[in-house]
Amino acid sequence: MTPTLIWILVALVAIGLYLSWTAGRLDRLHARIDATRAGLDAQLLRRASVAQELATSGVLDPAASIVLYEAAHAARQAEEEQREVAESELSQALRAVFGEPAQVEAVRDAPGGEAAAHELTEAVRRVPMARRFHNDAVGAARRLRQHRKVRWFRLAGHAPFPMAFEMDDEPPAALVDRAA
């Protein structure tokens, strides 16, 4: 073998190793997206469940109970295409019902209300964090998938292009002020 052929083989092996490493990195990012999406789904379900439980507890006035129950039920039953909208509507309903500190205090004063208010506070605080983790993972995968080497060598395989979860996740001010 000639030295030129050896160097060509070394270069091809190095390129192959680099492409393999990049494909592995992309695969790990896709696995991270799946894990963060599962975490986000769990937090959204928890928030909707706590809101629905609070709406049916009889602690809130009837109008607030109906608004909160319908929004929470819609968020739990939403199809994947409508999930972002339904979750945003639940956030708006939570802000409408718990916009005033007096409403939060009324819930806390009811029997078992302290625990329910604490659980709701924790649920609405965790949703933005879970969404941020998911969207950060999606952003990292998108940036890597935009590189030419990934497109040219089709290192992403048949994995769908990752999509961020965009929703209104601003928590009610009265719950956040109380928690801080």
PDB file of all heavy atoms in Angstrom, residues 139-165:
ATOM      1  N   GLY A 139     -34.874  23.250  20.303  1.00  0.00           N
ATOM      2  CA  GLY A 139     -33.982  24.223  19.677  1.00  0.00           C
ATOM      3  C   GLY A 139     -32.607  23.644  19.381  1.00  0.00           C
ATOM      4  O   GLY A 139     -32.040  23.877  18.303  1.00  0.00           O
ATOM      5  N   ALA A 140     -32.069  22.856  20.316  1.00  0.00           N
ATOM      6  CA  ALA A 140     -30.757  22.232  20.098  1.00  0.00           C
ATOM      7  C   ALA A 140     -30.819  21.243  18.932  1.00  0.00           C
ATOM      8  O   ALA A 140     -29.914  21.207  18.093  1.00  0.00           O
ATOM      9  CB  ALA A 140     -30.298  21.536  21.374  1.00  0.00           C
ATOM     10  N   ALA A 141     -31.870  20.451  18.870  1.00  0.00           N
ATOM     11  CA  ALA A 141     -32.001  19.487  17.771  1.00  0.00           C
ATOM     12  C   ALA A 141     -32.190  20.200  16.436  1.00  0.00           C
ATOM     13  O   ALA A 141     -31.622  19.793  15.421  1.00  0.00           O
ATOM     14  CB  ALA A 141     -33.168  18.537  18.036  1.00  0.00           C
ATOM     15  N   ARG A 142     -32.974  21.260  16.439  1.00  0.00           N
ATOM     16  CA  ARG A 142     -33.177  22.006  15.187  1.00  0.00           C
ATOM     17  C   ARG A 142     -31.880  22.613  14.684  1.00  0.00           C
ATOM     18  O   ARG A 142     -31.588  22.581  13.490  1.00  0.00           O
ATOM     19  CB  ARG A 142     -34.207  23.122  15.397  1.00  0.00           C
ATOM     20  CG  ARG A 142     -35.617  22.645  15.419  1.00  0.00           C
ATOM     21  CD  ARG A 142     -36.525  23.820  15.608  1.00  0.00           C
ATOM     22  NE  ARG A 142     -37.897  23.468  15.314  1.00  0.00           N
ATOM     23  CZ  ARG A 142     -38.880  24.323  15.271  1.00  0.00           C
ATOM     24  NH1 ARG A 142     -38.661  25.610  15.511  1.00  0.00           N
ATOM     25  NH2 ARG A 142     -40.099  23.925  15.001  1.00  0.00           N
ATOM     26  N   ARG A 143     -31.098  23.190  15.604  1.00  0.00           N
ATOM     27  CA  ARG A 143     -29.825  23.785  15.191  1.00  0.00           C
ATOM     28  C   ARG A 143     -28.897  22.737  14.595  1.00  0.00           C
ATOM     29  O   ARG A 143     -28.236  22.984  13.586  1.00  0.00           O
ATOM     30  CB  ARG A 143     -29.162  24.485  16.375  1.00  0.00           C
ATOM     31  CG  ARG A 143     -29.794  25.810  16.732  1.00  0.00           C
ATOM     32  CD  ARG A 143     -28.990  26.573  17.767  1.00  0.00           C
ATOM     33  NE  ARG A 143     -28.913  25.896  19.052  1.00  0.00           N
ATOM     34  CZ  ARG A 143     -29.855  25.934  19.985  1.00  0.00           C
ATOM     35  NH1 ARG A 143     -30.973  26.609  19.776  1.00  0.00           N
ATOM     36  NH2 ARG A 143     -29.688  25.309  21.130  1.00  0.00           N
ATOM     37  N   LEU A 144     -28.850  21.561  15.205  1.00  0.00           N
ATOM     38  CA  LEU A 144     -27.994  20.504  14.677  1.00  0.00           C
ATOM     39  C   LEU A 144     -28.516  19.999  13.337  1.00  0.00           C
ATOM     40  O   LEU A 144     -27.739  19.743  12.416  1.00  0.00           O
ATOM     41  CB  LEU A 144     -27.881  19.347  15.675  1.00  0.00           C
ATOM     42  CG  LEU A 144     -26.926  18.225  15.287  1.00  0.00           C
ATOM     43  CD1 LEU A 144     -25.513  18.753  15.056  1.00  0.00           C
ATOM     44  CD2 LEU A 144     -26.924  17.148  16.354  1.00  0.00           C
ATOM     45  N   ARG A 145     -29.833  19.876  13.204  1.00  0.00           N
ATOM     46  CA  ARG A 145     -30.399  19.372  11.949  1.00  0.00           C
ATOM     47  C   ARG A 145     -30.241  20.350  10.799  1.00  0.00           C
ATOM     48  O   ARG A 145     -30.365  19.968   9.640  1.00  0.00           O
ATOM     49  CB  ARG A 145     -31.873  19.034  12.140  1.00  0.00           C
ATOM     50  CG  ARG A 145     -32.055  17.753  12.938  1.00  0.00           C
ATOM     51  CD  ARG A 145     -33.482  17.407  13.099  1.00  0.00           C
ATOM     52  NE  ARG A 145     -34.041  16.963  11.833  1.00  0.00           N
ATOM     53  CZ  ARG A 145     -35.046  16.126  11.735  1.00  0.00           C
ATOM     54  NH1 ARG A 145     -35.614  15.642  12.813  1.00  0.00           N
ATOM     55  NH2 ARG A 145     -35.527  15.772  10.561  1.00  0.00           N
ATOM     56  N   GLN A 146     -29.964  21.613  11.073  1.00  0.00           N
ATOM     57  CA  GLN A 146     -29.789  22.600  10.010  1.00  0.00           C
ATOM     58  C   GLN A 146     -28.389  22.566   9.401  1.00  0.00           C
ATOM     59  O   GLN A 146     -28.175  23.153   8.351  1.00  0.00           O
ATOM     60  CB  GLN A 146     -30.088  24.005  10.532  1.00  0.00           C
ATOM     61  CG  GLN A 146     -31.556  24.228  10.793  1.00  0.00           C
ATOM     62  CD  GLN A 146     -31.834  25.575  11.435  1.00  0.00           C
ATOM     63  OE1 GLN A 146     -30.926  26.265  11.883  1.00  0.00           O
ATOM     64  NE2 GLN A 146     -33.094  25.934  11.498  1.00  0.00           N
ATOM     65  N   HIS A 147     -27.458  21.878  10.048  1.00  0.00           N
ATOM     66  CA  HIS A 147     -26.106  21.786   9.484  1.00  0.00           C
ATOM     67  C   HIS A 147     -26.138  21.006   8.175  1.00  0.00           C
ATOM     68  O   HIS A 147     -26.896  20.055   8.017  1.00  0.00           O
ATOM     69  CB  HIS A 147     -25.161  21.094  10.463  1.00  0.00           C
ATOM     70  CG  HIS A 147     -24.854  21.929  11.664  1.00  0.00           C
ATOM     71  ND1 HIS A 147     -23.974  21.526  12.618  1.00  0.00           N
ATOM     72  CD2 HIS A 147     -25.304  23.139  12.078  1.00  0.00           C
ATOM     73  CE1 HIS A 147     -23.884  22.435  13.556  1.00  0.00           C
ATOM     74  NE2 HIS A 147     -24.693  23.423  13.255  1.00  0.00           N
ATOM     75  N   ARG A 148     -25.287  21.428   7.256  1.00  0.00           N
ATOM     76  CA  ARG A 148     -25.242  20.773   5.941  1.00  0.00           C
ATOM     77  C   ARG A 148     -24.891  19.299   6.039  1.00  0.00           C
ATOM     78  O   ARG A 148     -25.495  18.482   5.355  1.00  0.00           O
ATOM     79  CB  ARG A 148     -24.224  21.487   5.049  1.00  0.00           C
ATOM     80  CG  ARG A 148     -24.807  22.670   4.354  1.00  0.00           C
ATOM     81  CD  ARG A 148     -23.824  23.254   3.384  1.00  0.00           C
ATOM     82  NE  ARG A 148     -23.627  24.632   3.813  1.00  0.00           N
ATOM     83  CZ  ARG A 148     -22.500  25.276   3.825  1.00  0.00           C
ATOM     84  NH1 ARG A 148     -21.405  24.689   3.403  1.00  0.00           N
ATOM     85  NH2 ARG A 148     -22.426  26.501   4.240  1.00  0.00           N
ATOM     86  N   LYS A 149     -23.930  18.985   6.889  1.00  0.00           N
ATOM     87  CA  LYS A 149     -23.498  17.574   6.972  1.00  0.00           C
ATOM     88  C   LYS A 149     -24.659  16.677   7.395  1.00  0.00           C
ATOM     89  O   LYS A 149     -24.778  15.548   6.937  1.00  0.00           O
ATOM     90  CB  LYS A 149     -22.324  17.430   7.936  1.00  0.00           C
ATOM     91  CG  LYS A 149     -22.666  17.771   9.366  1.00  0.00           C
ATOM     92  CD  LYS A 149     -21.474  17.631  10.279  1.00  0.00           C
ATOM     93  CE  LYS A 149     -21.850  18.056  11.678  1.00  0.00           C
ATOM     94  NZ  LYS A 149     -21.434  19.361  12.050  1.00  0.00           N
ATOM     95  N   VAL A 150     -25.548  17.175   8.264  1.00  0.00           N
ATOM     96  CA  VAL A 150     -26.696  16.379   8.707  1.00  0.00           C
ATOM     97  C   VAL A 150     -27.692  16.212   7.567  1.00  0.00           C
ATOM     98  O   VAL A 150     -28.235  15.132   7.361  1.00  0.00           O
ATOM     99  CB  VAL A 150     -27.363  17.039   9.938  1.00  0.00           C
ATOM    100  CG1 VAL A 150     -28.651  16.333  10.316  1.00  0.00           C
ATOM    101  CG2 VAL A 150     -26.397  17.046  11.116  1.00  0.00           C
ATOM    102  N   ARG A 151     -27.904  17.267   6.813  1.00  0.00           N
ATOM    103  CA  ARG A 151     -28.849  17.189   5.681  1.00  0.00           C
ATOM    104  C   ARG A 151     -28.275  16.347   4.554  1.00  0.00           C
ATOM    105  O   ARG A 151     -28.969  15.501   3.978  1.00  0.00           O
ATOM    106  CB  ARG A 151     -29.187  18.588   5.194  1.00  0.00           C
ATOM    107  CG  ARG A 151     -30.045  19.374   6.147  1.00  0.00           C
ATOM    108  CD  ARG A 151     -30.594  20.635   5.500  1.00  0.00           C
ATOM    109  NE  ARG A 151     -29.647  21.316   4.640  1.00  0.00           N
ATOM    110  CZ  ARG A 151     -28.959  22.423   4.977  1.00  0.00           C
ATOM    111  NH1 ARG A 151     -29.135  22.973   6.143  1.00  0.00           N
ATOM    112  NH2 ARG A 151     -28.116  22.963   4.129  1.00  0.00           N
ATOM    113  N   TRP A 152     -27.019  16.578   4.179  1.00  0.00           N
ATOM    114  CA  TRP A 152     -26.425  15.879   3.045  1.00  0.00           C
ATOM    115  C   TRP A 152     -26.326  14.374   3.277  1.00  0.00           C
ATOM    116  O   TRP A 152     -26.575  13.576   2.377  1.00  0.00           O
ATOM    117  CB  TRP A 152     -25.041  16.429   2.740  1.00  0.00           C
ATOM    118  CG  TRP A 152     -25.044  17.793   2.122  1.00  0.00           C
ATOM    119  CD1 TRP A 152     -26.121  18.493   1.664  1.00  0.00           C
ATOM    120  CD2 TRP A 152     -23.912  18.610   1.892  1.00  0.00           C
ATOM    121  NE1 TRP A 152     -25.722  19.705   1.176  1.00  0.00           N
ATOM    122  CE2 TRP A 152     -24.358  19.812   1.300  1.00  0.00           C
ATOM    123  CE3 TRP A 152     -22.555  18.469   2.146  1.00  0.00           C
ATOM    124  CZ2 TRP A 152     -23.509  20.834   0.952  1.00  0.00           C
ATOM    125  CZ3 TRP A 152     -21.705  19.496   1.794  1.00  0.00           C
ATOM    126  CH2 TRP A 152     -22.186  20.674   1.194  1.00  0.00           C
ATOM    127  N   PHE A 153     -25.931  13.999   4.476  1.00  0.00           N
ATOM    128  CA  PHE A 153     -25.766  12.575   4.772  1.00  0.00           C
ATOM    129  C   PHE A 153     -27.008  11.967   5.424  1.00  0.00           C
ATOM    130  O   PHE A 153     -26.992  10.816   5.829  1.00  0.00           O
ATOM    131  CB  PHE A 153     -24.536  12.359   5.660  1.00  0.00           C
ATOM    132  CG  PHE A 153     -23.247  12.659   4.953  1.00  0.00           C
ATOM    133  CD1 PHE A 153     -22.573  13.849   5.180  1.00  0.00           C
ATOM    134  CD2 PHE A 153     -22.717  11.763   4.042  1.00  0.00           C
ATOM    135  CE1 PHE A 153     -21.389  14.131   4.527  1.00  0.00           C
ATOM    136  CE2 PHE A 153     -21.532  12.039   3.382  1.00  0.00           C
ATOM    137  CZ  PHE A 153     -20.863  13.232   3.620  1.00  0.00           C
ATOM    138  N   ARG A 154     -28.050  12.748   5.532  1.00  0.00           N
ATOM    139  CA  ARG A 154     -29.340  12.314   6.093  1.00  0.00           C
ATOM    140  C   ARG A 154     -29.169  11.603   7.430  1.00  0.00           C
ATOM    141  O   ARG A 154     -29.690  10.509   7.658  1.00  0.00           O
ATOM    142  CB  ARG A 154     -30.077  11.433   5.099  1.00  0.00           C
ATOM    143  CG  ARG A 154     -30.372  12.186   3.828  1.00  0.00           C
ATOM    144  CD  ARG A 154     -31.083  11.360   2.834  1.00  0.00           C
ATOM    145  NE  ARG A 154     -31.181  12.141   1.596  1.00  0.00           N
ATOM    146  CZ  ARG A 154     -31.902  11.808   0.589  1.00  0.00           C
ATOM    147  NH1 ARG A 154     -32.620  10.711   0.635  1.00  0.00           N
ATOM    148  NH2 ARG A 154     -31.941  12.551  -0.483  1.00  0.00           N
ATOM    149  N   LEU A 155     -28.436  12.291   8.323  1.00  0.00           N
ATOM    150  CA  LEU A 155     -28.140  11.688   9.613  1.00  0.00           C
ATOM    151  C   LEU A 155     -29.356  11.647  10.538  1.00  0.00           C
ATOM    152  O   LEU A 155     -29.363  10.898  11.512  1.00  0.00           O
ATOM    153  CB  LEU A 155     -27.000  12.461  10.297  1.00  0.00           C
ATOM    154  CG  LEU A 155     -25.669  12.472   9.552  1.00  0.00           C
ATOM    155  CD1 LEU A 155     -24.637  13.260  10.332  1.00  0.00           C
ATOM    156  CD2 LEU A 155     -25.189  11.068   9.273  1.00  0.00           C
ATOM    157  N   ALA A 156     -30.377  12.442  10.240  1.00  0.00           N
ATOM    158  CA  ALA A 156     -31.590  12.438  11.073  1.00  0.00           C
ATOM    159  C   ALA A 156     -32.484  11.255  10.741  1.00  0.00           C
ATOM    160  O   ALA A 156     -33.441  10.979  11.466  1.00  0.00           O
ATOM    161  CB  ALA A 156     -32.356  13.744  10.891  1.00  0.00           C
ATOM    162  N   GLY A 157     -32.197  10.568   9.676  1.00  0.00           N
ATOM    163  CA  GLY A 157     -33.012   9.424   9.290  1.00  0.00           C
ATOM    164  C   GLY A 157     -34.428   9.856   8.953  1.00  0.00           C
ATOM    165  O   GLY A 157     -34.641  10.836   8.238  1.00  0.00           O
ATOM    166  N   HIS A 158     -35.397   9.138   9.482  1.00  0.00           N
ATOM    167  CA  HIS A 158     -36.805   9.438   9.213  1.00  0.00           C
ATOM    168  C   HIS A 158     -37.485  10.096  10.412  1.00  0.00           C
ATOM    169  O   HIS A 158     -38.713  10.129  10.484  1.00  0.00           O
ATOM    170  CB  HIS A 158     -37.554   8.156   8.838  1.00  0.00           C
ATOM    171  CG  HIS A 158     -37.048   7.541   7.572  1.00  0.00           C
ATOM    172  ND1 HIS A 158     -37.272   8.095   6.341  1.00  0.00           N
ATOM    173  CD2 HIS A 158     -36.300   6.431   7.360  1.00  0.00           C
ATOM    174  CE1 HIS A 158     -36.691   7.352   5.411  1.00  0.00           C
ATOM    175  NE2 HIS A 158     -36.093   6.331   6.007  1.00  0.00           N
ATOM    176  N   ALA A 159     -36.701  10.585  11.337  1.00  0.00           N
ATOM    177  CA  ALA A 159     -37.274  11.235  12.526  1.00  0.00           C
ATOM    178  C   ALA A 159     -37.989  12.521  12.107  1.00  0.00           C
ATOM    179  O   ALA A 159     -37.484  13.283  11.271  1.00  0.00           O
ATOM    180  CB  ALA A 159     -36.178  11.570  13.530  1.00  0.00           C
ATOM    181  N   PRO A 160     -39.170  12.753  12.647  1.00  0.00           N
ATOM    182  CA  PRO A 160     -39.888  13.984  12.293  1.00  0.00           C
ATOM    183  C   PRO A 160     -39.146  15.208  12.801  1.00  0.00           C
ATOM    184  O   PRO A 160     -38.415  15.141  13.790  1.00  0.00           O
ATOM    185  CB  PRO A 160     -41.241  13.822  12.989  1.00  0.00           C
ATOM    186  CG  PRO A 160     -40.998  12.853  14.083  1.00  0.00           C
ATOM    187  CD  PRO A 160     -39.894  11.947  13.617  1.00  0.00           C
ATOM    188  N   PHE A 161     -39.341  16.321  12.114  1.00  0.00           N
ATOM    189  CA  PHE A 161     -38.696  17.560  12.526  1.00  0.00           C
ATOM    190  C   PHE A 161     -39.289  17.980  13.868  1.00  0.00           C
ATOM    191  O   PHE A 161     -40.505  18.035  14.019  1.00  0.00           O
ATOM    192  CB  PHE A 161     -38.919  18.647  11.469  1.00  0.00           C
ATOM    193  CG  PHE A 161     -38.023  19.831  11.642  1.00  0.00           C
ATOM    194  CD1 PHE A 161     -36.691  19.750  11.303  1.00  0.00           C
ATOM    195  CD2 PHE A 161     -38.516  21.022  12.137  1.00  0.00           C
ATOM    196  CE1 PHE A 161     -35.851  20.836  11.461  1.00  0.00           C
ATOM    197  CE2 PHE A 161     -37.683  22.111  12.297  1.00  0.00           C
ATOM    198  CZ  PHE A 161     -36.343  22.021  11.952  1.00  0.00           C
ATOM    199  N   PRO A 162     -38.459  18.263  14.860  1.00  0.00           N
ATOM    200  CA  PRO A 162     -38.984  18.583  16.190  1.00  0.00           C
ATOM    201  C   PRO A 162     -39.730  19.918  16.209  1.00  0.00           C
ATOM    202  O   PRO A 162     -39.296  20.891  15.600  1.00  0.00           O
ATOM    203  CB  PRO A 162     -37.736  18.637  17.066  1.00  0.00           C
ATOM    204  CG  PRO A 162     -36.595  18.822  16.141  1.00  0.00           C
ATOM    205  CD  PRO A 162     -37.005  18.273  14.815  1.00  0.00           C
ATOM    206  N   MET A 163     -40.852  19.928  16.912  1.00  0.00           N
ATOM    207  CA  MET A 163     -41.688  21.125  17.010  1.00  0.00           C
ATOM    208  C   MET A 163     -41.739  21.587  18.458  1.00  0.00           C
ATOM    209  O   MET A 163     -41.925  20.789  19.371  1.00  0.00           O
ATOM    210  CB  MET A 163     -43.107  20.835  16.518  1.00  0.00           C
ATOM    211  CG  MET A 163     -43.177  20.357  15.084  1.00  0.00           C
ATOM    212  SD  MET A 163     -42.491  21.525  13.895  1.00  0.00           S
ATOM    213  CE  MET A 163     -43.708  22.799  13.970  1.00  0.00           C
ATOM    214  N   ALA A 164     -41.594  22.890  18.643  1.00  0.00           N
ATOM    215  CA  ALA A 164     -41.686  23.478  19.978  1.00  0.00           C
ATOM    216  C   ALA A 164     -43.145  23.505  20.420  1.00  0.00           C
ATOM    217  O   ALA A 164     -44.065  23.461  19.604  1.00  0.00           O
ATOM    218  CB  ALA A 164     -41.112  24.895  19.958  1.00  0.00           C
ATOM    219  N   PHE A 165     -43.355  23.565  21.722  1.00  0.00           N
ATOM    220  CA  PHE A 165     -44.698  23.645  22.287  1.00  0.00           C
ATOM    221  C   PHE A 165     -44.906  25.088  22.716  1.00  0.00           C
ATOM    222  O   PHE A 165     -44.327  25.546  23.701  1.00  0.00           O
ATOM    223  CB  PHE A 165     -44.839  22.694  23.487  1.00  0.00           C
ATOM    224  CG  PHE A 165     -46.256  22.471  23.904  1.00  0.00           C
ATOM    225  CD1 PHE A 165     -47.012  21.496  23.303  1.00  0.00           C
ATOM    226  CD2 PHE A 165     -46.835  23.241  24.901  1.00  0.00           C
ATOM    227  CE1 PHE A 165     -48.321  21.273  23.690  1.00  0.00           C
ATOM    228  CE2 PHE A 165     -48.139  23.034  25.292  1.00  0.00           C
ATOM    229  CZ  PHE A 165     -48.887  22.041  24.684  1.00  0.00           C
TER     230      PHE A 165
END
